[in-house]
Amino acid sequence: MDIRPAATLALLRDGPTGLEVLLLQRSWDAAFLPGYYVFPGGAVDDSDRADHHHLGNHTPGGYDDTAINQTMSLDGGGADYLIAAIRESFEEAGVLLATDRQGQPLTTDRYQQALSRRQAVCRGELDFARLCQDLALSLPLDRLAYLSHWVTPAGAPRRFDTRFFLARAPAQAARHDGAETIDHLWLDPHQALADHRRGDRLFSAPTLKTLRELCAFASADDAIAYARANPPAASNDRAWPARKGDRTIMVESGTPAYDQVRKLDPGRLGHASATIEPGELVAIGDGVYRLTAGNPSVMTGPGTNSYLLGQPGDYTVIDPGPVQDDHLERLLAVTDGQIRQVLVTHTHLDHSPAAKVLHERTGARLVGYPAPAGASQDAGFQPQWQPRDGDQLATGAGPLKVLHTPGHASNHLCYLLESQGLLFSGDHIMQGSTVVINPPDGDMKAYLTSLARLLEEDLAYIAPGHGFLMGNPALVIDFLTTHRLSREHKVIQALHHHGPGTLKALTPHAYDDVPAAIHGLAARSLLAHLEKLVADGRVQQQGEIWQLR
């Protein structure tokens, strides 16, 4: 699949209470991110080439192609991204970041002349370069500050290589185009993030990351000055050599093993494995090892990961998994039976049952929360210590911070090895799929709150209960949050168009994008969403009937 170059421009202004950013809402009919709030942006067109715009003496501040390319870590074409960002801002928001040929702000008359031709540019009937030439406009590329670089992960229906820029908005009224964009507003970044957490607005992960960065600045000038002084480093998402069986393969960015093989093999020697093999001990950090149980399935992926922390004489085991003789014997063998404590993230049957056996054979202290009621719970797990949220646990690899993260399970805990920024996430975050939220013990509102709480921690990698190490934790968390909130919107739309209704009647509408064969499982997830919406005061239940308030 081709990866198209693209540009995005976050337009800033100073509002009554501080920094504000312009956000546009995409049409609900859009093929990409329908209904999401975004910054103006889009693909770089052929007409965005710098030579089409005759830059140079006509560019305020001068046009230094070499400097632009160096800042963006490109061999050439950097100015094309800047021009595309300005053009997209004009097309989608009606904001024209341009001057006259003397570098002076546009007069009202000249801006209105440009605005009268905006639809022709949007429809492709008039090149943006021709518009600039006809009206003797110059593009102040020096006013844009390069902020970040994002490449859409593999597997997405469309992939973009996008450069994000900041610029102070000119004194013009924003106007969404009514086609690609159906609304616009200026928001304080803090307010935008609060709206997202409540489910009021949808943002993609890169937009959330940008908003979070902007929260650090009191004014537009402060944000732009920071971006100028700290351009992003050149991305290094090239394919990585790894081992698969007895041969060497190249692992592509965005595939499951990529973050792990890069971390474990920074010298690109090709010795890190691109597969997860039950019983294979893998060193994933300083004094940290992963051992995967042989219980692969649709729900457990390649199997349940047990993590060993420490050194000879002092080991901590996280999630010993199910009672499987070969896995238990392997845990005992690699630790020489010197296990001081066994921690569990939660008491689902693929995570905790082996804890009791390890306690009986080693005397290890059991740490975690007791099992709630339910057939899927390990009622035999009896912890000797129930830590509180925020407690510190000593291990041979360093102290672990305990984080209570209910949602997938009410007794779910994550453990953070702060010295390495390594989060042992259990089933709170899984690789390759979203976790099941199954009421009554599963709680969607609690799950989203727990995800948001993790963004307050300094995370470098996620060590999930199933799958490989995951890098870019904030991006992973933002994606999961946005995925859930996007589904929540579909639930609201199903209620609006097909409600009031029962759970069974609403499921085909709220989950019309998944096969009917799994609508039974989808109904449990729908119930979790409906219960969250009831807690939020947006939905009410009468018997088996659900309806909007």
Side-chain angles (χ1 to χ4, degrees):
M1 178 188 295
D2 290 338
I3 303 178
R4 297 189 64 185
T8 291
L9 180 57
L11 290 164
L12 310 178
R13 75 179 186 186
D14 296 324
T17 60
L19 176 67
E20 295 180 341
V21 61
L22 179 64
L23 291 160
L24 306 171
Q25 186 181 24
R26 291 179 58 80
S27 164
W28 289 106
D29 297 326
F32 184 65
L33 300 179
Y36 280 57
Y37 284 81
V38 298
F39 307 121
V44 177
D45 291 341
D46 182 65
S47 63
D48 295 322
R49 282 170 39 193
D51 57 348
H52 287 188
H53 287 259
H54 306 291
L55 300 176
N57 293 334
H58 294 310
T59 304
Y63 168 57
D64 188 338
D65 184 62
T66 300
I68 291 173
N69 290 326
Q70 286 179 344
T71 298
M72 297 174 63
S73 302
L74 292 169
D75 294 329
D80 300 355
Y81 287 90
L82 296 167
I83 294 167
I86 293 173
R87 174 183 55 76
E88 289 286 350
S89 174
F90 177 60
E91 291 184 10
E92 294 186 348
V95 176
L96 181 55
L97 194 66
T99 70
D100 64 20
R101 291 292 169 83
Q102 287 69 49
Q104 297 301 308
L106 297 184
T107 63
T108 301
D109 180 63
R110 191 172 299 191
Y111 170 64
Q112 289 297 330
Q113 290 181 53
L115 201 60
S116 69
R117 306 184 191 186
R118 175 188 176 196
Q119 290 304 316
V121 175
C122 291
R123 292 191 297 266
E125 300 167 0
L126 174 65
D127 281 347
F128 185 56
R130 171 58 63 184
L131 172 72
C132 294
Q133 292 166 24
D134 289 349
L135 298 180
L137 304 179
S138 290
L139 302 182
L141 304 188
D142 59 322
R143 296 186 187 175
L144 277 68
Y146 180 38
L147 180 68
S148 60
H149 179 203
W150 295 83
V151 178
T152 309
R158 295 183 181 182
R159 298 191 67 192
F160 296 95
D161 179 344
T162 307
R163 312 281 172 153
F164 277 61
F165 303 93
L166 302 178
R168 177 180 281 279
Q172 300 167 5
R175 300 168 172 84
H176 57 270
D177 62 19
E180 288 189 37
T181 57
I182 56 175
D183 192 14
H184 71 272
L185 72 165
W186 289 92
L187 269 184
D188 176 327
H190 296 88
Q191 183 62 52
L193 292 173
D195 290 350
H196 178 72
R197 287 192 294 271
R198 286 195 305 271
D200 293 341
R201 304 186 199 283
L202 295 173
F203 299 106
S204 68
T207 305
L208 288 169
K209 176 66 161 53
T210 303
L211 289 168
R212 204 169 287 118
E213 289 182 290
L214 291 175
C215 284
F217 305 104
S219 70
D221 286 346
D222 289 346
I224 292 168
Y226 175 84
R228 290 193 192 286
N230 300 276
S235 62
N236 185 19
D237 290 336
R238 55 182 172 161
W240 217 259
R243 175 174 53 83
K244 187 174 185 179
D246 58 357
R247 61 193 178 94
T248 298
I249 64 169
M250 299 303 292
V251 179
E252 297 291 336
S253 174
T255 54
Y258 186 76
D259 292 332
Q260 178 170 306
V261 299
R262 279 194 61 167
K263 180 181 189 295
L264 304 188
D265 181 21
R268 295 176 56 85
L269 301 177
H271 59 66
S273 178
T275 60
I276 292 178
E277 300 293 339
E280 181 179 3
L281 190 67
V282 181
I284 62 170
D286 187 11
V288 183
Y289 307 87
R290 185 187 68 216
L291 191 65
T292 302
N295 62 328
S297 71
V298 173
M299 300 302 293
T300 61
T304 300
N305 291 329
S306 297
Y307 293 98
L308 290 74
L309 286 72
Q311 52 197 333
D314 181 11
Y315 284 101
T316 294
V317 174
I318 299 176
D319 279 355
V323 178
Q324 289 186 338
D325 290 344
D326 54 349
H327 185 58
L328 278 165
E329 293 304 323
R330 186 78 172 117
L331 284 170
L332 290 166
V334 298
T335 61
D336 198 25
Q338 298 172 326
I339 301 173
R340 180 163 57 88
Q341 56 189 349
V342 176
L343 284 51
V344 301
T345 58
H346 62 301
T347 51
H348 283 164
L349 297 177
D350 57 325
H351 285 262
S352 66
K356 181 179 180 180
V357 180
L358 289 180
H359 168 68
E360 292 170 348
R361 294 184 63 174
T362 69
R365 179 179 67 161
L366 301 186
V367 179
Y369 288 168
S376 64
Q377 299 287 345
D378 172 23
F381 178 72
Q382 299 295 324
Q384 295 162 296
W385 187 46
Q386 299 180 41
R388 295 172 299 178
D389 182 73
D391 278 351
Q392 295 281 334
L393 287 172
T395 79
L400 287 174
K401 182 177 182 180
V402 179
L403 304 171
H404 184 208
T405 50
H408 173 65
S410 60
N411 65 345
H412 198 289
L413 299 169
C414 290
Y415 301 97
L416 173 60
L417 185 59
E418 292 182 287
S419 61
Q420 299 184 38
L422 185 58
L423 180 75
F424 300 96
S425 68
D427 278 357
H428 191 59
I429 297 173
M430 294 173 59
Q431 188 184 61
S433 65
T434 54
V435 302
V436 174
I437 309 296
N438 186 17
D441 193 54
D443 186 316
M444 187 66 71
K445 188 175 182 67
Y447 180 70
L448 289 170
T449 300
S450 297
L451 283 177
R453 186 268 174 89
L454 291 181
L455 291 171
E456 301 171 5
E457 304 293 339
D458 187 9
L459 308 180
Y461 288 91
I462 295 170
H466 308 280
F468 295 92
L469 280 179
M470 304 163 71
N472 300 308
L475 185 62
V476 172
I477 293 167
D478 285 340
F479 170 80
L480 291 174
T481 303
T482 298
H483 172 81
R484 297 292 185 176
L485 293 177
S486 181
R487 179 66 65 186
E488 180 177 289
H489 178 80
K490 287 193 65 128
V491 172
I492 293 171
Q493 290 300 302
L495 285 165
H496 179 72
H497 294 292
H498 305 284
T502 64
L503 194 66
K504 183 177 181 180
L506 292 169
T507 298
H509 303 292
Y511 287 85
D512 58 2
D513 55 339
V514 303
I518 62 171
H519 276 184
L521 181 61
R524 302 305 300 170
S525 181
L526 173 58
L527 176 60
H529 278 291
L530 289 169
E531 289 183 347
K532 174 185 179 295
L533 290 168
V534 168
D536 291 341
R538 303 175 71 179
V539 166
Q540 60 184 0
Q541 180 186 12
Q542 295 180 338
E544 295 185 356
I545 301 299
W546 303 83
Q547 63 186 45
L548 292 173
R549 283 190 179 274

